[in-house]
Amino acid sequence: MMLGTVQSGFGYWNVYAWIIFFALAAALVFYFRSAGRSDYKAGTYQDEIFYGGNPVPKDGDEIAVPASSAYWGFTEALSPFYKLLLSLHTGIASDYVGYLVVTTALISALIVL
Amino acid sequence: MNWQIHLPALLIAVPLLGAFAAPAFANRRLRDVWFTVMIAATTVIAFLLWRRVGAEGIVVYVMGGENWHLTLPSGMRLPIRIIMEVDAFSAFMALSGSIVSFAGAIFSLRFLDRTTGGEKFVALYFLLTAGMLGMETTGDLFNFFVFLEIASVASYGLIAFWRNTPEAIEASFKYMLLSTIAALMVLIGVGILYGRYGALNMAAIAKSMQLGLPEKVALALFVAALAMKCGAVPLHMWVPDAYSQAPAGISCFLVSVSQASLYGLFRISFSVYGRALDTPAVAWIIIVFGILSMFIAVVMAVIQKEVKRLMAYHAVSQTGYMLLGVGVGLLALAHPQAMSEYGFTAMQGGIFHIINHAMYKGLLFLTAGSIFYASGTLDLNRLGGLARNMPYTTVMFVVSAAAIAGLPPVNGFVSKLLVYESSFAVHPILTVMALVTSILTLASFVKVFQSAFLGPARARFSEVREVPRSMLVGMTVLLVAILWLSFMPTWSLSRLVGPAAQALVDQAGYIEAVMGSGL
C-alpha cells in the first residue's frame, strides 16, 4: 500500500500529493508577494485604505456587512422552503414530542408491514 | 495477575470515582487537579483497551465473577451477570469519545473560574463520561438503557448549567422531555426482547433471534428512540437549543455522547438483529434519516446568526453522513457481493466520519467557546475582526472548518469521499445530496469565518485578547487529532476504522465471544 494513499474501491486519493501541491502553491504566493514594491512610504496616503475617496470610518462596524446579509440571494430564492422549515421549528416542546410520536409510528409501519 | 484484564471495568469505574469524589473538592486548585488527572486516566484506559482489543480481539469482561453462564436443567446455557463485550467498534468509539472528553475537560478548567458550583460541573461531567463509555462497551441491553439514562441525566444538568439564563433551562427541559420518552421506548424494546428470549445479553438474543412481530416492534422503538438521541432529522429539534445553551466544553463533549446513541443504533441493527433482518426497510430508514439530516440541517445552518446554534445544526448535518454510510452498509449486509463492492467502503466512510466529526466538531465548539470567553458574544452580526486579537483560535477554527467542509487534505474529505463513492453505487441522488450538503457546509463556515474573524477591527473588541493557555491546550488536543487523522489516512483506515467496520459486520464473531459458538 502506497504511503498516504486511500483506496476507495472506485479510485484512490493521496494526501501527500495534496500537501506537495499546497506547498508549491504557497511558495508561488510568497514569491508573488515578495515581488511587490517595498519602497512605499509608510504612514502616508500610500498605505491608507481606499474607501471610495472618503475618510475611512474609525469603527469597523460602519463598513462591515452584517452576517445576516450573507447569502441573501440564496435564502430569498428558497424563501418558500425556508418558510416551511421555520414553521416546523416552532420551539414548542409538545410539537417536538409530536414529531417523535409520528416518526415512531411511521418507522413501526415501515418495519412491521 | 495482569491488571489489564480489568480495563473494561476501570473504564467505567474511574470516571464514576471521579464523579462521586468531585463534590469533596471545594478548593479550586484541587478540583482542577482531580478533574485533569481522572479524565486523563480515563483516556489512557480507553487507549490501552483499544490497543488490547486490536491485539487480542474481542474482550469479554464479567462483573462480579469469572463465569457468566447459567446452565438450566434443560441443558440450555444463558449468559447472566453484567457482561461487557468490547470489540473493535466499541473500543474505537470509547477511544474517540474519551479523547473528546479529555479535551473538553481541559478547556473547561478556566471556564469554571467564572462560575460557582464547579465541583458539581465536574461530578456531572464524569457521570456523562461514564454513561457514554458504558453505552459503548456493555454487552447487555438493559445495561445499555441504564448507561443511556446516566448519560441523559448528567446531560440535563450540564445543559442547564448556566442556570441564570432561562434559555438554558428551557433547552434542558426540552431535551429531558424528549429523552425520557425515548428512554422509555428503549426500555419497552428491551422488555419485549427479554419477554421473548429470557435474556438481556445482546449476543444471547442475537443467537436466538427470529424476526417476528414483537421483534419488529422492538426494533422500531430502538430505531426511533436512538435516532432521536443522536439528533437525526426530523427528531433533531432539541439539538440546536441544547448545544447552543450548554457551556462550550459540554457542547464539544455532547457531540461524542450523541454518537454513543448512534453506536447503539448501529450495534442493535448489526449485532443484535443483523442477518435476521429479512427486509431492507431498516437500512432505508437509516439512509433516509441520513439524507434528511444532512440536507435539512445544513440548510437551516446557513441562515443562523449565532455561532453555536449554527454549529449545532452542522452537528446534525454531519450525523447524516454517518447514517448514510452505515445505512448503505446495512443495506448490503445480506448480499456478500454488494458488501465487498461498496457496502464495506460505505461503512468505513461512515465510521471514519464518526471520529472525524467528534474531533473537528468538538474543536469548532471549543473555538466558539473561546470567542464567547474573549468577546462576550456569539452574535455573528456583532462579531468581527477577531483574527487580529485571537490568532491561535483563528488557526484552530480554520483547520476545523476546512475539515468539516470536507476540503482536502483535511480528514473530513477522506471519510466523505468514501461515503460519496460508495453511496453512488446505491443511487446517484444519495451522492448528489451529500455533495450539495458539503458545499453548503463550506458556505456557512465561510460566513462564520468572514463575520467573526475577518473584516475591519471593531472598537468594542479592542481589548479582546487570546484565551488562557489551558483553553488553548484543550483545543490543541483536538487539533493534533485532526492533523493525525488527516496526514495518516492509511494508518487510520487500517488500524482504527477498518477493524471497527469489520467488527460491526461480523455478527457471528460478536455472538461467539460470549456464547461460545456463532450463528
Side-chain angles (χ1 to χ4, degrees):
Chain A
M1 186 190 298
M2 205 173 146
L3 191 66
T5 301
V6 173
Q7 303 284 347
S8 67
F10 302 87
Y12 66 91
W13 179 76
N14 188 292
V15 64
Y16 300 117
W18 276 87
I19 291 170
I20 291 167
F21 167 76
F22 277 114
L24 288 174
L28 270 177
V29 167
F30 281 115
Y31 169 73
F32 289 137
R33 189 176 186 278
S34 68
R37 290 182 62 168
S38 57
D39 58 347
Y40 69 92
K41 290 173 187 156
T44 66
Y45 70 95
Q46 289 183 2
D47 69 348
E48 270 183 12
I49 299 168
F50 180 71
Y51 189 58
N54 300 310
V56 181
K58 291 278 183 216
D59 190 359
D61 266 341
E62 294 175 41
I63 49 173
V65 178
S68 50
S69 299
Y71 308 127
W72 177 85
F74 175 80
T75 50
E76 194 64 18
L78 293 178
S79 58
F81 180 54
Y82 272 115
K83 211 170 179 177
L84 172 70
L85 282 186
L86 292 172
S87 69
L88 293 173
H89 291 78
T90 57
I92 302 169
S94 53
D95 287 355
Y96 297 174
V97 173
Y99 298 148
L100 176 58
V101 172
V102 170
T103 308
T104 308
L106 268 174
I107 291 172
S108 304
L110 287 169
I111 292 178
V112 170
L113 299 179
Chain B
M1 191 170 68
N2 183 4
W3 67 275
Q4 291 204 16
I5 61 168
H6 298 296
L7 283 172
L10 287 171
L11 190 66
I12 312 298
V14 169
L16 279 181
L17 175 65
F20 294 132
F25 293 98
N27 179 292
R28 283 190 174 181
R29 187 172 287 270
L30 282 177
R31 180 201 68 203
D32 288 354
V33 170
W34 180 253
F35 198 12
T36 308
V37 168
M38 294 304 274
I39 208 75
T42 307
T43 310
V44 170
I45 291 166
F47 173 75
L48 291 174
L49 184 58
W50 168 77
R51 211 176 58 164
R52 185 158 178 245
V53 170
E56 299 174 16
I58 298 176
V59 171
V60 179
Y61 187 85
V62 191
M63 298 281 193
E66 290 180 4
N67 187 6
W68 61 80
H69 283 121
L70 171 73
T71 306
L72 299 175
S74 62
M76 185 182 176
R77 281 167 33 121
L78 277 177
I80 55 166
R81 300 186 196 276
I82 295 173
I83 299 175
M84 300 175 77
E85 185 171 0
V86 188
D87 66 0
F89 185 47
S90 304
F92 165 84
M93 293 297 296
L95 180 64
S96 166
S98 58
I99 291 171
V100 176
S101 166
F102 177 69
I106 301 298
F107 182 87
S108 299
L109 293 175
R110 291 286 71 79
F111 239 96
L112 291 178
D113 289 344
R114 290 186 169 183
T115 184
T116 56
E119 67 279 9
K120 297 183 187 74
F121 179 97
V122 174
L124 288 172
Y125 197 94
F126 277 124
L127 273 184
L128 189 56
T129 307
M132 176 195 73
L133 294 172
M135 284 168 74
E136 291 167 350
T137 51
T138 184
D140 183 294
L141 275 178
F142 184 74
N143 286 328
F144 179 82
F145 164 76
V146 172
F147 285 119
L148 179 79
E149 279 300 85
I150 290 172
S152 298
V153 171
S155 305
Y156 308 151
L158 288 167
I159 290 166
F161 192 72
W162 304 129
R163 55 195 179 281
N164 54 342
T165 56
E167 292 86 357
I169 306 287
E170 184 187 332
S172 180
F173 172 74
K174 285 178 190 168
Y175 179 49
M176 185 174 68
L177 184 64
L178 286 170
S179 277
T180 306
I181 296 169
L184 285 172
M185 286 161 61
V186 170
L187 187 60
I188 293 169
V190 173
I192 290 172
L193 293 183
Y194 184 65
R196 289 282 288 172
Y197 300 104
L200 291 165
N201 183 273
M202 294 190 207
I205 294 171
K207 189 172 172 65
S208 314
M209 176 64 71
Q210 289 183 325
L211 203 63
L213 181 65
E215 288 83 358
K216 287 181 177 177
V217 172
L219 180 59
L221 292 172
F222 287 134
V223 171
L226 295 171
M228 191 293 287
K229 293 286 289 182
C230 72
V233 172
L235 308 172
H236 66 289
M237 308 289 187
W238 63 273
V239 177
D241 290 342
Y243 283 29
S244 61
Q245 294 304 321
I250 300 306
S251 306
C252 160
F253 190 24
L254 280 176
V255 172
S256 286
V257 176
S258 299
Q259 288 182 344
S261 296
L262 199 64
Y263 164 88
L265 178 60
F266 296 159
R267 175 63 75 201
I268 289 171
S269 303
F270 280 86
S271 301
V272 178
Y273 284 79
R275 294 184 202 284
L277 285 174
D278 57 359
T279 161
V282 181
W284 275 109
I285 287 167
I286 292 175
I287 290 170
V288 170
F289 267 136
I291 292 293
L292 287 175
S293 302
M294 280 192 301
F295 188 68
I296 302 289
V298 82
V299 169
M300 285 298 293
V302 169
I303 58 168
Q304 299 305 313
K305 301 173 192 71
E306 203 255 7
V307 179
K308 278 177 77 182
R309 207 169 171 81
L310 180 146
M311 289 179 181
Y313 274 109
H314 279 293
V316 174
S317 174
Q318 296 299 304
T319 303
Y321 285 96
M322 304 161 213
L323 289 165
L324 174 61
V326 181
V328 168
L330 186 61
L331 193 66
L333 188 63
H335 312 283
Q337 194 182 345
M339 180 55 88
S340 68
E341 282 176 2
Y342 61 84
F344 194 70
T345 305
M347 289 191 65
Q348 281 189 310
I351 291 171
F352 198 9
H353 210 66
I354 289 177
I355 190 166
N356 287 341
H357 179 240
M359 302 304 152
Y360 60 60
K361 181 44 65 65
L363 182 53
L364 281 168
F365 275 123
L366 295 188
T367 58
S370 294
I371 293 172
F372 185 75
Y373 186 90
S375 70
T377 182
L378 285 171
D379 184 350
L380 285 170
N381 285 330
R382 287 174 51 77
L383 289 167
L386 290 179
R388 292 174 181 78
N389 314 60
M390 305 174 71
Y392 297 117
T393 301
T394 307
V395 170
M396 308 268 185
F397 178 85
V398 169
V399 173
S400 48
I404 194 172
L407 293 183
V410 201
N411 58 344
F413 173 76
V414 184
S415 48
K416 285 185 179 181
L417 176 72
L418 296 175
V419 172
Y420 296 151
E421 293 199 344
S422 51
S423 58
F424 191 87
V426 176
H427 199 288
I429 192 70
L430 302 179
T431 310
V432 171
M433 297 296 276
L435 282 166
V436 169
T437 300
S438 211
I439 293 164
L440 292 175
T441 304
L442 179 63
S444 54
F445 278 98
V446 166
K447 173 174 129 175
V448 177
F449 185 53
Q450 186 271 329
S451 304
F453 293 101
L454 301 184
R458 308 296 202 270
R460 62 175 164 276
F461 298 135
S462 58
E463 301 299 315
V464 164
R465 294 288 173 269
E466 187 57 270
V467 290
R469 194 174 296 164
S470 68
M471 295 170 82
L472 288 175
V473 170
M475 290 195 281
T476 306
V477 169
L478 296 179
L479 180 73
V480 169
I482 290 170
L483 295 179
W484 179 272
L485 293 167
S486 300
F487 299 144
M488 307 289 282
T490 44
W491 181 91
S492 305
L493 279 168
S494 62
R495 298 290 302 276
L496 267 174
V497 177
Q502 188 56 48
L504 200 52
V505 173
D506 185 14
Q507 190 191 14
Y510 189 81
I511 295 170
E512 191 177 355
V514 170
M515 301 301 292
S517 60
L519 285 164

